[in-house]
Amino acid sequence: MTQAKTTRTVRRGRLFPEIQWSEEKKAQWRAEIEDIYQRCKIVFDRLQPELIKTHYNWYMAVEPDSGDYFIANDDELVTKMAKEKHSHAKIHVFRINETGVCGTI
């Protein structure tokens, strides 16, 4: 008994082709992310020397417009805390250590 073969069409390309950004849009997005980072880094740099003594390797989420910050020992928890208070704001999460990042590449 011979079974019929089914031919599957292999999907190629992007799943959502309408989301392709132009180079200008990508540059604008990168500039916005860099601006948020720089504004949050000012708050982080001000608080880091004191927090590094008591909360080493914890996480700190900073909301750049208000300067509010949240501290927790889990990155998902600190993000949730920040989003509860500032639901539509863009935040940046730092690690409280010498560099402010979570490891090396």
Side-chain angles (χ1 to χ4, degrees):
M1 201 179 254
T2 306
Q3 293 183 351
K5 286 186 174 181
T6 60
T7 57
R8 292 182 65 196
T9 304
V10 178
R11 188 175 219 164
R12 291 195 170 100
R14 295 186 178 263
L15 186 58
F16 302 106
E18 66 274 2
I19 301 181
Q20 294 179 4
W21 284 2
S22 65
E23 290 302 317
E24 295 83 24
K25 179 82 172 172
K26 289 179 190 177
Q28 178 185 5
W29 179 78
R30 287 185 191 110
E32 181 182 342
I33 295 299
E34 181 64 23
D35 178 57
I36 290 168
Y37 168 75
Q38 292 299 330
R39 291 176 21 216
C40 291
K41 184 133 173 67
I42 293 169
V43 176
F44 176 74
D45 288 342
R46 180 173 40 96
L47 298 168
Q48 178 201 22
E50 185 145 338
L51 291 174
I52 204 166
K53 298 173 190 172
T54 57
H55 295 88
Y56 190 78
N57 272 340
W58 283 38
Y59 296 91
M60 176 180 180
V62 180
E63 197 281 317
D65 295 329
S66 66
D68 288 347
Y69 62 92
F70 306 88
I71 299 170
N73 61 354
D74 180 42
D75 61 337
E76 291 178 11
L77 178 62
V78 78
T79 303
K80 181 181 175 188
M81 291 166 51
K83 288 295 183 181
E84 283 177 1
K85 184 166 183 188
H86 302 282
S87 59
H88 298 295
K90 295 189 178 181
I91 61 167
H92 190 82
V93 177
F94 295 94
R95 186 107 184 228
I96 302 173
N97 56 23
E98 293 81 8
T99 60
V101 295
C102 304
T104 58
I105 295 177

